[in-house]
């Protein structure tokens, strides 16, 4: 029977008590909470993408524990075209004539009728020697000639009289013979006198010094009033023929049969002269001849080409680059040179095959600058990969510029409460935003950004190309920039993990790019680079690819991170990655790490006031004590060893 409930019962009703409250077990409550957590974890595991990890940087289409994002590549179409066979050589400009003008007689110069550097024609009067002594000598010779001519005439009259008397048998025949000999003697004397007169006249002609060839007069050797002589080594002037003008150059002996065969057919080979940089055409001409023997010490043969030079662009003894067009191959399958890659098995080309890269072994023909002929392996119309191939393997997924990467690593989200719970507890799937950022950076970079994608060190080439895209380059500037960027990427890739070499490659590339830009474009590029450095991005200057960017644009998986500690040849503190975006803050942390005193800190701030550079860092090291320099070097070595968080 239950106990009566507490409280006062209503009037007329029996009294009762309320039942005591029910007590729940604490262990049971904890058990239910633990069960709920277990269920949530199981649901999270079921809905999480197990093993969806981004593939290694050297991976291809996928495999192992996951699939890497598609690589953005630059492409070009294989076309049918003509490829010229060109031979390049370093040549020396040689004038067709280089004459030292000497005087033929001795005497005093009365006048000098030319200016230094003047263009003169053949026969033009250059100088006049005092001719008065030679005029007097002419008069003497002429007087002697008249005297001897008179004696000859008298001897001839006597001979005629003697012949008449001999016919009358009045004189001896011996007397007639003697008179005939005298006439002959006088005739010889007259001939000698005539020669003396002509010699005197010639000396007067020699008093007028004229140009023996047409050309340009060099610096003057003598002045009016000087006494000149036949034995003077320097002469009166030096004349050099500039139009036409020749260029002498050397070719390998292996090219001699090819050139000789073309010349035997009567072909005219075209030669082009470029300046020292090889970028500017100076003159066009024709191949003239080969030397008659090969130099056994060098294995080369000398050759000569002749150029029209009316403007005097080619200067004697100038060094020029010569390109000789030997022949032209027609109907070739032509691809960009950067599309052809070299491996242990031979040359190969990546082609686009339904969103993947296909490796095609090819046989390469002749090359001409940025164009290469492919004899076999691909066909006209195939899309070949020009940029980004260093991060591809056969069958790797690729994206063309402008395409959006698919979210292949995401699994469908579950709907309802289970999906919500899975979203709370499941680990984050591989985020495609990094791939999208890589794709966007490479797409913005076009062909030059192909090597700059992912890996934490890519994007430098893409940012570089993005900067150039804002400069409104002309078609000619773009054509000149393409090989510069390609050379920059090649040198930076060859540098491997050497940060100094990568920075040197970037610096050389920037200098070459500056040479093709207008002053306005240079100023704009400097402004863009300054903004990029301030944002911790690509600087492109002497410090190389700042902000952790790889100058080569390639990010090998096995490569250690770029050393960020300062050194004599490394970037200064303002470029260290992982030390904040504020250069002043980075310098303060470095000062604290090295234990700089107040005076050293003030000097360091003054040194890096204009930004980081090798010169600034050299000055920075100079203000450090030996123990501080050793500490700085130890930090650099530690970072080279992979301790990037030091």
């Amino acid at each position: 029977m239950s106990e009566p409930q507490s409280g006062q019962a209503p009037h007329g009703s029996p009294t009762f008590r309320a039942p005591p409250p029910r007590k729940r077990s604490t262990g049971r409550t904890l058990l239910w909470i633990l069960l709920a957590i277990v269920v949530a974890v199981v649901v999270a595991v079921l809905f999480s993408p197990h093993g969806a990890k981004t593939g290694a940087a050297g991976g291809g289409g996928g495999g192992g524990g996951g699939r890497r994002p598609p690589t953005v590549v630059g492409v070009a179409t294989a076309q049918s075209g003509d490829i010229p066979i060109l031979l390049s050589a370093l040549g020396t400009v040689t004038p067709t004539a280089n004459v030292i003008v000497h005087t033929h007689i001795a005497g005093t110069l009365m006048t000098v009728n030319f200016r230094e550097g003047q263009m003169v024609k053949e026969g033009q009067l250059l100088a006049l020697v005092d001719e008065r002594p030679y005029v007097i000598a002419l008069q003497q010779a002429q007087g002697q000639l008249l005297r001897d001519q008179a004696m000859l005439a008298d001897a001839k009259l006597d001979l005629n009289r003697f012949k008449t008397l001999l016919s009358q048998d009045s004189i001896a025949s011996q007397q007639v013979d003697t008179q005939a000999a005298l006439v002959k003697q006088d005739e010889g004397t007259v001939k000698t006198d005539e020669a003396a007169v002509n010699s005197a006249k010639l000396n007067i002609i020699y008093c007028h010094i004229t140009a023996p060839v047409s050309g340009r007069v060099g610096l003057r050797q003598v002045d009016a009033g000087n006494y000149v002589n036949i034995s003077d080594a320097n002469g009166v002037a030096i004349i050099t023929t500039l139009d036409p003008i020749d260029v002498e150059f050397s070719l390998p002996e292996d090219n001699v049969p090819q050139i000789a065969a073309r010349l035997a057919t009567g072909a005219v080979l075209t030669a082009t002269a470029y300046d020292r940089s090889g970028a500017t055409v100076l003159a066009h001409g024709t191949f003239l001849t080969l030397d008659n023997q090969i130099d056994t010490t060098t294995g080369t043969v000398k050759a000569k080409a002749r150029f029209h030079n009316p403007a005097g662009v080619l200067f004697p003894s100038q060094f020029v680059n010569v390109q000789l067009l030997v022949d032209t191959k027609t109907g070739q399958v032509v691809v960009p040179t950067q599309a052809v890659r070299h491996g242990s098995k031979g040359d190969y080309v990546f082609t686009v095959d339904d969103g993947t890269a296909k490796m095609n072994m090819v046989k390469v023909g002749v090359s001409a600058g940025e164009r290469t002929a492919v004899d076999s392996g691909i066909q006209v119309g195939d899309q070949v990969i020009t940029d980004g191939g260093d991060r591809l393997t056969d069958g790797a997924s690729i994206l063309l510029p402008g395409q959006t990467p698919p979210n292949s690593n995401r699994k469908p989200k579950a709907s309802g409460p289970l999906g919500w719970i899975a979203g709370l507890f499941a680990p984050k799937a591989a985020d495609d935003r990094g791939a999208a950022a890589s794709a966007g950076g490479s797409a913005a970079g076009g062909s030059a950004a192909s090597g700059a994608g992912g890996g934490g060190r890519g994007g430098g080439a893409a940012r570089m190309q993005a900067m150039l895209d804002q400069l409104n380059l002309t078609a000619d500037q773009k054509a000149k920039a393409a090989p510069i960027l390609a050379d920059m990427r090649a040198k930076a890739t060859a540098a491997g993990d050497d940060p100094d070499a990568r920075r040197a490659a970037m610096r050389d590339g920037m200098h070459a790019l500056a040479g093709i830009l207008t002053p306005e474009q240079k100023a704009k590029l400097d402004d863009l680079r300054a903004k990029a450095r301030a944002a911790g991005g690509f600087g492109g200057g002497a410090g190389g690819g700042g902000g952790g960017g790889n100058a080569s644009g390639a990010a090998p998986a096995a490569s250690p991170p770029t050393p960020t500690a300062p050194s004599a040849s490394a970037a200064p503190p303002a470029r260290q990655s992982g030390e904040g975006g504020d250069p002043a803050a980075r310098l303060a942390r470095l000062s604290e790490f090295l234990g700089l005193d107040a005076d050293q800190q003030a000097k360091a701030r003054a040194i890096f006031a204009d930004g980081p550079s090798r010169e600034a860092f050299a000055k920075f090291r100079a203000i450090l004590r030996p123990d501080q320099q050793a500490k700085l070097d130890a930090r650099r070595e530690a970072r080279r060893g992979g301790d990037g968080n030091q």
Side-chain angles (χ1 to χ4, degrees):
M1 190 175 177
S2 63
E3 295 184 2
Q5 298 179 352
S6 64
Q8 187 158 0
H11 180 71
S13 301
T15 60
F16 67 94
R17 289 184 179 182
R22 301 174 60 185
K23 297 182 179 180
R24 294 186 178 180
S25 173
T26 302
R28 181 179 295 179
T29 301
L30 294 177
L31 181 60
W32 278 107
I33 294 175
L34 181 60
L35 182 60
I37 293 175
V38 171
V39 172
V41 171
V42 171
V43 172
V45 171
L46 292 176
F47 285 90
S48 63
H50 299 291
K53 298 180 181 179
T54 303
R67 179 180 300 172
R68 65 167 292 166
T71 301
V72 179
V73 298
V75 297
T77 303
Q79 300 177 350
S80 177
D82 300 338
I83 290 290
I85 300 177
L86 299 173
L87 299 180
S88 299
L90 181 64
T92 305
V93 179
T94 305
T96 54
N98 190 42
V99 180
I100 300 178
V101 181
H102 289 276
T103 179
H104 293 279
I105 56 174
T108 303
L109 280 181
M110 301 298 293
T111 59
V112 176
N113 301 330
F114 64 89
R115 301 185 309 275
E116 294 175 320
Q118 177 183 349
M119 298 298 297
V120 297
K121 295 183 178 181
E122 182 179 354
Q124 181 175 336
L125 179 64
L126 300 179
L128 180 63
V129 179
D130 187 5
E131 62 181 8
R132 290 174 296 181
Y134 301 99
V135 171
I136 295 174
L138 173 61
Q139 293 174 351
Q140 290 177 346
Q142 289 174 339
Q144 184 67 30
L145 175 61
L146 291 176
R147 175 179 176 276
D148 292 338
Q149 285 177 342
M151 293 180 63
L152 175 60
D154 181 62
K156 287 181 177 180
L157 291 175
D158 290 343
L159 179 59
N160 291 332
R161 285 194 291 267
F162 289 163
K163 287 180 178 179
T164 302
L165 293 175
L166 179 61
S167 63
Q168 297 174 358
D169 198 17
S170 299
I171 60 175
S173 59
Q174 181 181 1
Q175 190 173 357
V176 175
D177 294 337
T178 301
Q179 188 62 32
L182 182 61
V183 169
K184 291 292 184 181
Q185 182 179 350
D186 290 342
E187 287 179 348
T189 303
V190 169
K191 287 290 184 181
T192 302
D193 294 341
E194 289 176 348
V197 170
N198 291 332
S199 177
K201 290 181 179 179
L202 184 59
N203 287 337
I204 294 176
I205 294 175
Y206 284 157
C207 289
H208 300 75
I209 302 175
T210 59
V213 295
S214 298
R216 187 172 185 264
V217 180
L219 300 181
R220 190 165 56 190
Q221 307 296 321
V222 294
D223 297 315
N226 288 130
Y227 187 85
V228 294
N229 204 316
I230 301 175
S231 60
D232 291 341
N234 296 329
V236 178
I238 300 176
I239 300 178
T240 302
T241 302
L242 300 181
D243 186 23
I245 200 166
D246 297 337
V247 174
E248 290 186 1
F249 54 96
S250 297
L251 293 173
E253 58 182 331
D254 295 339
N255 300 130
V256 173
Q258 187 179 19
I259 296 175
R262 290 284 293 162
L263 295 177
T265 62
V268 178
L269 307 185
T270 303
T272 305
Y274 294 85
D275 62 355
R276 186 184 295 268
S277 65
T280 304
V281 176
L282 300 179
H284 296 281
T286 56
F287 182 78
L288 197 60
T289 185
L290 288 170
D291 199 0
N292 58 357
Q293 59 183 348
I294 295 174
D295 187 348
T296 57
T297 59
T298 61
T300 59
V301 60
K302 291 184 178 180
K304 181 180 288 188
R306 181 156 293 177
F307 297 84
H308 291 291
N309 192 36
V313 178
L314 297 178
F315 205 81
S317 300
Q318 176 185 2
F319 287 101
V320 295
N321 289 296
V322 181
Q323 276 193 353
L324 181 63
L325 178 60
V326 179
D327 201 355
T328 301
K329 297 292 185 180
T330 60
Q332 302 292 303
V333 179
V334 181
V335 299
T337 302
Q338 57 186 347
V340 180
R341 305 183 181 278
H342 312 284
S344 58
K345 297 181 180 180
D347 299 329
Y348 63 93
V349 171
F350 281 117
T351 58
V352 178
D353 185 13
D354 193 19
T356 61
K358 179 181 179 182
M359 181 185 292
N360 299 268
M361 304 304 296
V362 296
K363 181 179 179 182
V364 178
V366 296
S367 297
E370 294 298 316
R371 304 167 68 236
T372 298
V374 178
D375 294 339
S376 63
I378 61 173
Q379 303 295 328
V380 175
D382 289 347
Q383 280 192 315
V384 297
I385 295 176
T386 57
D387 297 299
D390 52 345
R391 295 179 289 119
L392 294 178
T393 57
D394 192 15
S397 298
I398 60 174
L399 283 177
L400 301 183
Q403 289 183 345
T404 303
N407 296 329
S408 56
N409 288 336
R410 294 183 183 269
K411 289 190 176 183
K413 293 184 178 180
S415 59
L418 293 180
W420 181 77
I421 296 175
L424 288 177
F425 293 94
K428 297 294 184 180
D431 192 358
D432 291 331
R433 288 179 297 175
S438 174
S442 297
S447 62
S450 60
R457 295 172 60 186
R463 286 187 288 272
M464 165 70 78
Q465 184 66 32
M467 291 181 187
L468 296 180
D469 291 341
Q470 300 181 49
L471 302 181
N472 298 324
L473 301 181
T474 63
D476 181 60
Q477 287 176 321
K478 291 180 180 178
K480 293 179 180 179
I484 294 175
L485 293 176
D487 181 66
M488 186 192 308
R489 289 196 304 273
K491 290 181 178 178
T493 302
D497 296 325
D498 186 355
D500 298 336
R502 288 199 301 272
R503 279 186 284 270
M506 292 297 297
R507 182 182 62 251
D508 296 341
M510 291 302 300
H511 288 327
L513 285 174
I516 67 172
L517 300 179
T518 63
E520 295 78 8
Q521 291 172 333
K522 291 180 183 177
K524 187 172 182 180
L525 179 59
D526 292 339
D527 182 63
L528 293 173
R529 291 170 57 197
K531 292 179 180 178
R533 283 194 294 267
F538 174 79
N550 186 359
S552 67
S559 299
T562 304
T564 55
S567 66
S569 59
R575 292 226 176 165
Q576 297 180 20
S577 61
E579 295 188 3
D582 185 7
R586 291 195 294 268
L587 183 58
R589 282 189 288 272
L590 182 64
S591 301
E592 182 180 358
F593 172 75
L594 298 177
L596 303 183
D597 56 31
D599 181 60
Q600 288 176 317
Q601 293 180 17
K603 292 180 179 179
R605 285 192 295 270
I607 290 173
F608 295 113
D610 296 331
S613 65
R614 290 191 176 185
E615 293 77 8
F617 186 74
K619 295 179 181 178
F620 175 73
R621 285 186 62 87
I623 68 173
L624 299 180
R625 299 191 304 270
D627 61 315
Q628 293 171 334
Q629 293 182 1
K631 192 174 182 180
L632 186 62
D633 295 338
R635 180 178 186 179
R636 182 190 179 197
E637 293 299 327
R639 296 207 174 195
R640 280 186 174 177
D643 189 7
N645 297 323
Q646 181 175 346

